[in-house]
Amino acid sequence: MDMSEAGRAAPAGGEDRKGRDGRSEQATVCCYCGTGCGVLASAEGGRITAVRGDPAHPANFGRLCTKGSTLHLAAAPGGRALYPELRGARATAGVTAVTAAVSTAVSTAVTTTRRRVGWDVALDTAAERFAAIIRRHGPDAVAFYISGQLLTEDYYVFNKLARALVGTNNIDSNSRLCMSSAVSGYKATLGADSVPTCYEDIALADHLLIAGANPAWAHPIVFRRIEDARRANPDFSLTVVDPRRTETAELADLHLQIAPGSDVLLYNAMLHVLLAEGLADQDFIRDHTSGFEALQAQLGSYAPGEVAAACGLPAAQIVEAARRFGRARAALSMWCQGLNQSHHGTANNAALIHLHLASGQIARPGAGPFSLTGQPNAMGGREVGALATILPGHRNIDDAADRAELARLWNIPALPGASGLAAVQLFEALAAGRVKAVWIACTNPAQSLPDQARVRAALAKAEFVVLQEAFADTETAAYADLLLPAASWGEKSGTVTNSERRVSRVRALVPPPGEARTDWAIVADFARRLATRLERDAAAFDWRDEAAVFAEHASLSAGRDCDMSGLSHALLERDGPQQWPFPAGAQQGTARLFQDKRFATADGRARFAPIGFPAAHALLPEPVDARHPFVLTTGRLRDHWHGMSRTGKVAALWGHAPRAEVALNPADIAGRGLRAGELVRIANRRGELVLPLAADAGVVAGQAWIPMHWGSASLAQPGANALTSAAVDPASRQPALKQAAVAITPARLPWRAAWARLADSPAAACTLQESLRPRLAGFAYAALSLTGRERNVVLLEIAAGAAVDAEVIAGLDAAFDCRADDAQVMTFDDAARGIAKRARVAGDALVALRLAGEVQAFGWLAAAIAQAESLAPLRRWLFAPLAQPPLGLAAAERTVCNCFGVGEGRIRACLADGAGLEGLQQELKCGTACGSCLPELRRMVAEAGSGLAAAAA
Amino acid sequence: MRRQRLVMVGNGMAGVKTLEELLKHAPERYDITVFGAEPHGNYNRIMLSPVLAGEMSLPDIMLNDLAWYGRHGVMLHAGYTVTAIDRARRRVRAESKDGEVVEAAYDRLLLATGSTPFVLPVPGKDLPGVIAYRDIGDTEAMIAAARHHRHAVVIGGGLLGLEAANGLALRGMDVSVVHIGGWIMERQLDQPAADLLQATLEARGLKFRLGAHTGELLAGADGRVARLRLKDGDELPADLVVMAAGIRPNTALAEAARLRCERGIVVSDTLQTVTDPRIYAVGECASHRGVAYGLVAPLFEQARVCANHLAGFGIGRYQGSVTSTKLKVTGVDVFSAGDFMGGEGCEEVVLHDRAGGIYKKLVLKNGRLAGAVMVGDTADGAWYFQLVREGGSVAAMRDHLMFGQQCAESQRGPSPADATTALCA
């Protein structure tokens, strides 16, 4: 499988064109992170068959990362919701939730099966239930929890439904979990939620400060531009602030390995240095800002020496960072969840933006704050106002004039004044019974919200849960009373806005599977049915098509800072992606905001926000104590995205990080008598999680790191969010997903078993995984995963305190086609040692495997299945307890370059022969396509270099 | 001093092996006289099966031709059957087929009379075309029958029976094996191994009737055997019936001489009969500690001890043998050794690859390898057999034992890493 199409030059634009081999290609946008890369996608026979970067799209100019370049694989059928499903009356807190597809053992889920129904039954039922609850308990007894992955048009219809028809502000988005602190940070300083910068600024800056972000992995195409800028400009310097030594930090000239939660201390200290060393722009402060004196008065206690200890940094590093920022001709800053996912995220954002205001590093090319977004349309949601705390067109709920204006535009008497429930509160209200019914769309709260035990209890307690989803196999699906099948990427049409305010068209290439419908149409259909029941005007939800929805949305933005009243689907078709503001009559969009140095405040001055720190805040959401000595931080992997409902279906994307692990500093591992690779129990009062332990010198002693992707769809427990804190920032209400105090102890689960089976197709792999997910919770440790490239191999590894009973094993043997009574299954049994192994052979190849009691060989045997190894040399050793493959067979190895499937071993071998980066690229082609592995390759080259030097010395 | 007189009755492998050993130790000690019923020198009986299978010819399997006896001054009376032992006068009496009588006096007498195939006492057992499988004559009879006849039935699914059946099949006959037991070779294999072996042999065209009791043998028009009727009434076409239902030690002569016999001539650890220390017995006719061995390896062990004692050293002791079995059917590897059935107080490690035609079972007892049975891949048989005989602890390599000497012994290295590199090398 060659995923190396990214970057091949070809003319691109809006309308259809012919691809290389005559396939019809359409320009659309990647559905993963907020970079918003343009994609040229091809479809054949109702299936998306290929993707490549759109050379004409200003976000990526033809490049795609590992995730983007496998979009066509993720779009393959499998795990999809195909028909509306309705559950009969809920039984009270049962033990298992049974969906039409599969019975799921979620401890606090609901019983009784969902049955397939028609769309009319589905939406009429939903309308009845919502109408009844609204009549009995008022509009605030229902809530909508939607997603930054929805298109702007979907977002808009949801928002109008909630506020204009139902009359509640209880509509929030999962963007609450990633962007809301940036929103409140911008509003607190610049006066509006306006990202002032754009991607071009990366090339124009000579200093870049990346804080709490790992774009090398989470925004790879942005990182490609950073690498380009560095290459092009010898004076370009990069400072990275991150508690972990990430791939991004590896590229930095200066890495501040900050103590978790000490961000505000650091930026205030840097501000202190700017002022002390005359690096501040007093004229800019005087002419274009307000509130400086108040902040300055607080700064006394922020001398670098004062905060160095709390920041876990040498004071000199803080001074150096400030000088690099202050002395820069043009300083740009980028940040993401590291700053936002904090109980003082607003302050984090403001404190960083203050550096720009104090040094005048803003409102000119190459300079300014640039928040990265984690979802393809987080920005669109902010413009539409589909968040509990804001209204369409960046209007404010607590502003009566804004409300009145919007009511007039929507032709309704009034809008509710009380701000709505933000994500975490929404589920608390659901648990408390104040909210009776929730409508969840395109997001997976049973995986992504903090403190999963409480979230799942809330979902189990709710009277009525509607899930509007493309995938039927998410954790949340188990709790849905009504499952509404939604169209997914490549099947729906509309617009998204990326991190640089650029609005792009998303196009439908293929019809949705089964009876799935496009999201906005589902919502509009429901709204009309609800309107008639509430005796309201159903016509308000009658749109001809998504272009009409967009037109209404754009008209609402007229005169606002995010004015896009000049934009239309037609214009986007004609002229391609555009950046707002784009008022009616404008000829082009706006690359940068505030170039006239007038900000979106009443007096036009940017504000130094009175962030009152540290008095108001503890650095961490909860104290680290003797019982919970580790600060757990969470983050993202290179080849997975969010809860993996999409990337998790692509076997090749499992190659770079084959399993969930918890990373500790080697010193902590040694100090606590642990062993890398052993299973440990990570626990606090909210929950626990059992994972293999990994040694990572990039993690500071006293901290632990877990990727946020894994949930109970692939593990026995709900993943990192079993442990994360529900503490929220008082202003942004964004939860502090980045830090939690945990204990880490040996799990002591000596009994191991593992299964592997070759699936005939990606869809078959999905089906097998679906059938296994319900059983995961039955084990102390379970890891369900995929491996392979051309072939899809489903893997299940479990661990327990003692041998699990034979029936469970037999059930799994059946699922993995390893039944001992089959003549094609080889068996090995050593009853006295509790070892029992099975292997299915087809022709000359191993196709299924079970190891119980002893699993050393599982890794390379699974690799042998994936690589269709001939069994001939293997047969004799199949059941031998060998951690390494005999007879020079290929060992299982981590994939570094996903485009060409180049593993770590081949790269190290090539390096051992003295190759450099160029050598690797010539020899193995790795790092020559999407480039996502370049940071890692550089690091490996450097390590090899130092290794050779050491050897020479 | 006068050379002593050693008389040997029986000219088979065990006896002649004893002579060879003796001649090595004390070539001048005895005047040696040998009586052999068969009109040949000593040949390798074990190799009759390859001869039958057409993989070897008689000259290939001759161990000691007539010249050998001359070279070593051994007086051989081939074709003479010893009919009486006069223990009082220490003489033996032998007769040839044509009634010629020879007598010989002895100071030491070595009985190596071997064994006789057990012939089922069923009607028709004496029909033409019904033979046992014991010697060159039987083998030649089978080869001849295969030339002119189609259907063969072998009674007995043991080692010998299967080799005969395989040989006849290779010579183009349609062969059925009638076996009284629940599975073939039950003395050497457990059932899974036997089932796998049977499947392999069936793939080669052999037919099997298990748990089948032979009722009678029926003649055809020509008076030659034509059919075999089972007790359940079924009939099998049979132009040739080979009895391979076990052997009986030849003890008639010894019993007539009033030497103590219990399923064989009872001997001590020096292979002397417990009745008369001047008289020794080795081979299939001897019963040592209640066991009469039918395999070549233990017989040779007996021969060495016996020769040692005859040579007057008197230091050798035979303490019984751990036996191992290999089926001499080309392309079918079967091995078993020691206590392979396991049971009380034993631990079993079993590898079963039906598709690959491989079955291996190791039986461990108190951390030692007690026995092994293997079908399909017997490469490590000799090593397992050695471990069984040595009886040392195998705890250190327990988990790797099944995967052969190379794998297991490489695990004894300082670290698994070294081990696997050794393995990969």
Side-chain angles (χ1 to χ4, degrees), chain A residues 820-833 835 875-888, chain B residues 347-358 360 377 379-380 398-400 402-404 406-407 411 420 423-424:
Chain A
D821 54 15
D822 186 317
Q824 293 308 305
V825 173
M826 300 167 59
T827 65
F828 173 88
D829 293 276
D830 184 345
R833 299 265 292 102
I835 297 170
R875 205 166 189 127
R876 188 146 213 280
W877 307 111
L878 213 46
F879 295 133
L882 301 174
Q884 294 299 318
L887 314 166
Chain B
E347 297 175 0
E348 297 182 1
V349 184
V350 183
L351 188 154
H352 202 170
D353 175 0
R354 278 166 288 190
I358 293 172
K360 301 183 183 184
D377 171 9
D380 291 292
R398 155 91 185 236
D399 287 353
H400 299 83
M402 176 62 82
F403 306 99
Q406 183 194 11
C407 179
Q411 298 305 317
T420 46
L423 199 55
C424 300

Side-chain angles (χ1 to χ4, degrees), chain A residues 290-299 608-610:
Chain A
S290 64
F292 179 68
E293 294 69 17
L295 178 63
Q296 193 173 21
Q298 294 185 349
L299 281 181
F608 286 91

Side-chain angles (χ1 to χ4, degrees), chain A residues 449-464:
Chain A
L449 281 174
D451 196 353
Q452 276 297 306
R454 286 167 70 187
V455 170
R456 292 172 177 220
L459 284 164
K461 187 174 186 300
E463 280 183 24
F464 191 54

Side-chain angles (χ1 to χ4, degrees), chain B residues 9 49 56 59 81-82 118 145 152 163 169 204 261 339 361 402 408 414:
Chain B
V9 181
S49 293
M56 284 187 172
T81 309
V82 173
F118 171 65
E163 290 180 7
R204 294 166 153 237
C261 295
D339 166 17
K361 179 168 95 176
M402 176 62 82

